[in-house]
Amino acid sequence: MIETPPLVDQYCQGVLRTELGLATFEARLGGSVGPAAAGTTFFDTQAGFAVRRWCPPLLGLEAHCPPAHYLARRRELGVLEAGRLLLRGSGTATFLVDTGASGDLTGPKELALAADAEAHEIVRLELLAEHVADTSGTAEGFLANLAEAFQHAAAGALAFTAGTGPGAGHGAALAFAPEPPGPDEVRGAAARWLARRVKGGPVRDPVLVRHLLWSAVGSGLPLQLHAGAGDPRERLDRGDPALLTDFVRATAGLGTDLVLLHGYPYHRHAAHLAAAFPHVYADLGPALARTGARADAVLAELLETAPFGKLLYSSGGRELPELHVVAARVFREALGRVLGGWVADGSWSWRDAERVAALLAAGNARRVYRLDRT
């Protein structure tokens, strides 16, 4: 068995504070805009089967027990105790938490307490702009306040992240205009957005999105970019990391690392960019959790292209603590089988396998996010 240190989860969100019934639990497990196929549930997926394998034993049940039995036990324990047992069972030492998600989710401090771990904040760019817009009356005031908000956020966060959502399409926007927009262009876009925006409205203007991304690059903090399958309402091809190539090239040598989150099913494209550019890193975890029993194949595809110092684990977990557990457990299992197989056939030494496993599980993230300096 390949040994790994306690994990650094380089991207996740909080978990729900409220109890869930069977239907609401399944909806959050499936990530779909509609119901499951007739006669099935969203437990009938690789991720669903992985939940049934890994999570019931943490709550005192047999692995692969029926979903109804599992959720009854979850309700019996209560949302806080069940969440505590699950998060601590993930073997995660450090969480980097995107605090920009909607819903009644725990923040970094609550997540850290429940998991008996460390947790740090990742600032979502779009939410930062929306909060500033709520208190700014003019374009000039908005841009001045936004610059100040960036300085304040950079002082307390480990990284920035660019979120996803309907109409986001960051990759497609950057494919056509990767360079930073000019001051007049930004001022005009800000004025148009403020004029038509209702309070709480999201940032979708491509000029403002580019301004946010380049402002983050100027901070020197790592910048996470979502890629691959995300919001099912968004066209999948807009999540191809290859669309970010010109932006990646434009940011080379500026001192800011770019981390391509998630990637799947374009994970090979993300791995290629990580191999081609010194400041680019690729994500491991959620793709493995999504593919479950097939995670070995996906992990091997990432390792066939990217240098081993350029791949970072994350769970991508949100709302359900089960997703944090599954990502961690599947990652460790897949890592053990893939690297252990290469050791068994003589391709790798055992010492090299354990060294690489430690890099993927925690070491690379500690270096990129400067965790040992916090």
Side-chain angles (χ1 to χ4, degrees):
M1 181 66 181
I2 302 292
E3 295 294 328
T4 61
L7 300 176
V8 174
D9 186 347
Q10 65 134 359
Y11 179 85
C12 68
Q13 298 174 10
V15 299
L16 286 165
R17 299 185 179 97
T18 53
E19 297 281 1
L20 296 174
L22 180 61
T24 51
F25 185 96
E26 289 176 2
R28 285 163 171 79
L29 180 63
S32 172
V33 294
T40 71
T41 76
F42 286 121
F43 275 100
D44 293 322
T45 59
Q46 289 283 10
F49 275 33
V51 166
R52 290 177 55 211
R53 176 188 180 185
W54 294 112
C55 296
L58 295 176
L59 303 188
L61 299 173
E62 292 186 1
H64 304 293
C65 71
H69 293 177
Y70 174 73
L71 291 176
R73 174 61 173 163
R74 203 178 187 272
R75 288 192 296 274
E76 178 186 355
L77 290 168
V79 66
L80 294 179
E81 178 63 8
R84 186 185 69 84
L85 292 170
L86 290 164
L87 290 169
R88 295 187 182 196
S90 73
T92 304
T94 305
F95 296 89
L96 274 60
V97 186
D98 174 2
T99 56
S102 60
D104 185 23
L105 304 182
T106 56
K109 290 183 179 179
E110 290 174 273
L111 196 66
L113 183 62
D116 191 23
E118 294 181 359
H120 304 276
E121 183 182 13
I122 303 169
V123 173
R124 185 176 294 195
L125 297 177
E126 296 88 344
L127 190 66
L128 183 68
E130 290 156 21
H131 285 167
V132 171
D134 289 340
T135 57
S136 302
T138 65
E140 290 78 8
F142 166 72
L143 295 174
N145 293 339
L146 183 62
E148 184 178 341
F150 259 105
Q151 291 182 350
H152 179 75
L158 287 186
F160 288 107
T161 189
T164 57
H170 296 348
L174 290 169
F176 292 105
E179 69 283 348
D184 291 341
E185 192 179 4
V186 173
R187 192 177 302 110
R192 290 190 299 273
W193 180 54
L194 292 172
R196 64 174 180 263
R197 176 180 180 271
V198 294
K199 190 170 183 178
V203 180
R204 294 177 180 170
D205 186 284
V207 173
L208 287 182
V209 167
R210 284 162 53 212
H211 177 66
L212 291 173
L213 293 172
W214 278 99
S215 296
V217 169
S219 75
L221 293 180
L223 172 59
Q224 301 174 340
L225 298 168
H226 286 73
D231 192 315
R233 295 165 291 184
E234 184 70 39
R235 278 182 50 165
L236 178 60
D237 57 345
R238 292 181 180 174
D240 188 341
L243 294 171
L244 298 168
T245 302
D246 290 339
F247 178 72
V248 165
R249 187 174 289 113
T251 56
L254 298 182
T256 294
D257 290 327
L258 305 180
V259 183
L260 305 180
L261 294 177
H262 311 341
Y264 187 82
Y266 301 108
H267 49 289
R268 276 178 160 151
H269 295 182
H272 169 74
L273 288 172
F277 294 93
H279 67 305
V280 177
Y281 295 79
D283 191 27
L284 285 170
L288 307 184
R290 178 186 290 263
T291 51
R294 287 284 295 162
D296 299 17
V298 176
L299 177 61
E301 288 172 349
L302 285 158
L303 289 170
E304 75 187 22
T305 304
F308 309 135
K310 303 297 287 297
L311 296 170
L312 292 77
Y313 166 75
S314 81
S315 71
R318 175 188 177 184
E319 298 186 331
L320 303 179
E322 285 83 357
L323 299 180
H324 296 74
V325 172
V326 165
R329 294 299 184 96
V330 169
F331 167 71
R332 281 200 177 92
E333 283 277 304
L335 196 62
R337 286 194 294 265
V338 171
L339 301 191
W342 294 344
V343 170
D345 68 18
S347 298
W348 284 35
S349 72
W350 192 264
R351 179 178 296 177
D352 282 340
E354 291 208 325
R355 182 173 60 85
V356 170
L359 289 175
L360 305 183
N364 292 335
R366 290 196 170 279
R367 184 182 70 254
V368 170
Y369 297 104
R370 305 176 181 91
L371 284 170
D372 294 330
R373 304 180 196 176
T374 58

